[in-house]
mmCIF file of all heavy atoms in Angstrom:
data_model
loop_
_atom_site.group_PDB
_atom_site.id
_atom_site.type_symbol
_atom_site.label_atom_id
_atom_site.label_comp_id
_atom_site.label_asym_id
_atom_site.label_seq_id
_atom_site.Cartn_x
_atom_site.Cartn_y
_atom_site.Cartn_z
ATOM 1 N N VAL A 86 -13.993 -5.569 -3.259
ATOM 2 C CA VAL A 86 -14.808 -4.797 -2.350
ATOM 3 C C VAL A 86 -16.248 -5.371 -2.440
ATOM 4 O O VAL A 86 -16.830 -5.406 -3.524
ATOM 5 C CB VAL A 86 -14.803 -3.243 -2.640
ATOM 6 C CG1 VAL A 86 -13.583 -2.631 -1.984
ATOM 7 C CG2 VAL A 86 -14.849 -2.977 -4.105
ATOM 8 N N THR A 87 -16.804 -5.734 -1.317
ATOM 9 C CA THR A 87 -18.084 -6.434 -1.313
ATOM 10 C C THR A 87 -18.704 -6.324 0.094
ATOM 11 O O THR A 87 -17.992 -6.309 1.117
ATOM 12 C CB THR A 87 -17.880 -7.945 -1.615
ATOM 13 O OG1 THR A 87 -19.074 -8.667 -1.460
ATOM 14 C CG2 THR A 87 -16.774 -8.575 -0.755
ATOM 15 N N PRO A 88 -20.061 -6.225 0.165
ATOM 16 C CA PRO A 88 -20.674 -6.060 1.443
ATOM 17 C C PRO A 88 -20.469 -7.284 2.376
ATOM 18 O O PRO A 88 -20.644 -7.178 3.616
ATOM 19 C CB PRO A 88 -22.166 -5.862 1.170
ATOM 20 C CG PRO A 88 -22.346 -6.021 -0.328
ATOM 21 C CD PRO A 88 -20.977 -6.044 -0.948
ATOM 22 N N ILE A 130 -13.111 -6.912 1.299
ATOM 23 C CA ILE A 130 -13.340 -5.782 2.212
ATOM 24 C C ILE A 130 -14.717 -5.143 1.999
ATOM 25 O O ILE A 130 -15.142 -4.871 0.856
ATOM 26 C CB ILE A 130 -12.273 -4.693 1.966
ATOM 27 C CG1 ILE A 130 -10.859 -5.270 2.299
ATOM 28 C CG2 ILE A 130 -12.539 -3.451 2.801
ATOM 29 C CD1 ILE A 130 -9.726 -4.258 2.172
ATOM 30 N N SER A 131 -15.422 -4.952 3.148
ATOM 31 C CA SER A 131 -16.659 -4.165 3.140
ATOM 32 C C SER A 131 -16.354 -2.855 3.803
ATOM 33 O O SER A 131 -15.641 -2.810 4.862
ATOM 34 C CB SER A 131 -17.729 -4.925 3.947
ATOM 35 O OG SER A 131 -18.787 -3.996 4.224
ATOM 36 N N ILE A 132 -16.887 -1.750 3.323
ATOM 37 C CA ILE A 132 -16.630 -0.459 3.975
ATOM 38 C C ILE A 132 -17.718 -0.180 5.013
ATOM 39 O O ILE A 132 -17.702 0.862 5.677
ATOM 40 C CB ILE A 132 -16.540 0.722 2.986
ATOM 41 C CG1 ILE A 132 -17.782 0.876 2.156
ATOM 42 C CG2 ILE A 132 -15.342 0.568 2.116
ATOM 43 C CD1 ILE A 132 -18.001 2.272 1.648
ATOM 44 N N GLY A 133 -18.655 -1.080 5.220
ATOM 45 C CA GLY A 133 -19.714 -0.812 6.260
ATOM 46 C C GLY A 133 -20.910 -1.709 6.043
ATOM 47 O O GLY A 133 -21.074 -2.280 4.924
ATOM 48 N N ASP A 134 -21.783 -1.745 7.025
ATOM 49 C CA ASP A 134 -22.933 -2.622 6.975
ATOM 50 C C ASP A 134 -24.108 -1.954 6.207
ATOM 51 O O ASP A 134 -25.145 -1.653 6.800
ATOM 52 C CB ASP A 134 -23.393 -3.024 8.408
ATOM 53 C CG ASP A 134 -22.362 -3.969 8.996
ATOM 54 O OD1 ASP A 134 -21.570 -4.529 8.265
ATOM 55 O OD2 ASP A 134 -22.401 -4.122 10.262
ATOM 56 N N PHE A 135 -23.865 -1.730 4.914
ATOM 57 C CA PHE A 135 -24.908 -1.169 4.037
ATOM 58 C C PHE A 135 -24.502 -1.644 2.661
ATOM 59 O O PHE A 135 -23.365 -2.037 2.439
ATOM 60 C CB PHE A 135 -24.989 0.300 4.150
ATOM 61 C CG PHE A 135 -23.662 0.974 4.172
ATOM 62 C CD1 PHE A 135 -22.942 1.212 2.977
ATOM 63 C CD2 PHE A 135 -23.087 1.372 5.361
ATOM 64 C CE1 PHE A 135 -21.691 1.800 3.008
ATOM 65 C CE2 PHE A 135 -21.856 1.987 5.385
ATOM 66 C CZ PHE A 135 -21.121 2.168 4.228
ATOM 67 N N VAL A 136 -25.473 -1.568 1.735
ATOM 68 C CA VAL A 136 -25.152 -2.050 0.381
ATOM 69 C C VAL A 136 -25.142 -0.891 -0.637
ATOM 70 O O VAL A 136 -26.113 -0.131 -0.715
ATOM 71 C CB VAL A 136 -26.216 -3.147 -0.072
ATOM 72 C CG1 VAL A 136 -25.865 -3.642 -1.471
ATOM 73 C CG2 VAL A 136 -26.215 -4.281 0.915
ATOM 74 N N LEU A 137 -24.053 -0.771 -1.322
ATOM 75 C CA LEU A 137 -23.887 0.252 -2.387
ATOM 76 C C LEU A 137 -24.359 -0.380 -3.709
ATOM 77 O O LEU A 137 -24.421 -1.595 -3.836
ATOM 78 C CB LEU A 137 -22.450 0.674 -2.481
ATOM 79 C CG LEU A 137 -21.817 1.285 -1.226
ATOM 80 C CD1 LEU A 137 -20.309 1.348 -1.369
ATOM 81 C CD2 LEU A 137 -22.406 2.704 -0.999
ATOM 82 N N SER A 138 -24.530 0.439 -4.701
ATOM 83 C CA SER A 138 -24.923 -0.031 -6.036
ATOM 84 C C SER A 138 -23.779 -0.730 -6.760
ATOM 85 O O SER A 138 -23.976 -1.516 -7.653
ATOM 86 C CB SER A 138 -25.400 1.112 -6.948
ATOM 87 O OG SER A 138 -26.247 1.923 -6.211
ATOM 88 N N GLY A 139 -22.510 -0.461 -6.323
ATOM 89 C CA GLY A 139 -21.402 -1.025 -6.915
ATOM 90 C C GLY A 139 -20.207 -0.797 -6.054
ATOM 91 O O GLY A 139 -20.301 -0.065 -5.103
ATOM 92 N N GLY A 140 -19.028 -1.382 -6.423
ATOM 93 C CA GLY A 140 -17.907 -1.292 -5.528
ATOM 94 C C GLY A 140 -17.120 -0.012 -5.706
ATOM 95 O O GLY A 140 -16.157 0.267 -4.932
ATOM 96 N N ALA A 143 -16.717 2.348 -2.747
ATOM 97 C CA ALA A 143 -15.921 1.677 -1.711
ATOM 98 C C ALA A 143 -14.469 1.700 -2.116
ATOM 99 O O ALA A 143 -13.571 1.986 -1.234
ATOM 100 C CB ALA A 143 -16.412 0.239 -1.578
HETATM 101 N N1 LIG B 301 -20.247 -3.028 -2.659
HETATM 102 C C1 LIG B 301 -21.537 -2.810 -2.342
HETATM 103 N N2 LIG B 301 -21.701 -2.492 -1.080
HETATM 104 C C2 LIG B 301 -20.418 -2.504 -0.552
HETATM 105 C C3 LIG B 301 -19.928 -2.245 0.761
HETATM 106 N N3 LIG B 301 -20.686 -1.950 1.817
HETATM 107 N N4 LIG B 301 -18.592 -2.312 0.908
HETATM 108 C C4 LIG B 301 -17.814 -2.621 -0.110
HETATM 109 N N5 LIG B 301 -18.225 -2.918 -1.354
HETATM 110 C C5 LIG B 301 -19.548 -2.813 -1.543
#
Side-chain angles (χ1 to χ4, degrees):
V86 279
T87 174
I130 297 180
S131 164
I132 59 155
D134 290 344
F135 43 80
V136 180
L137 301 165
S138 315

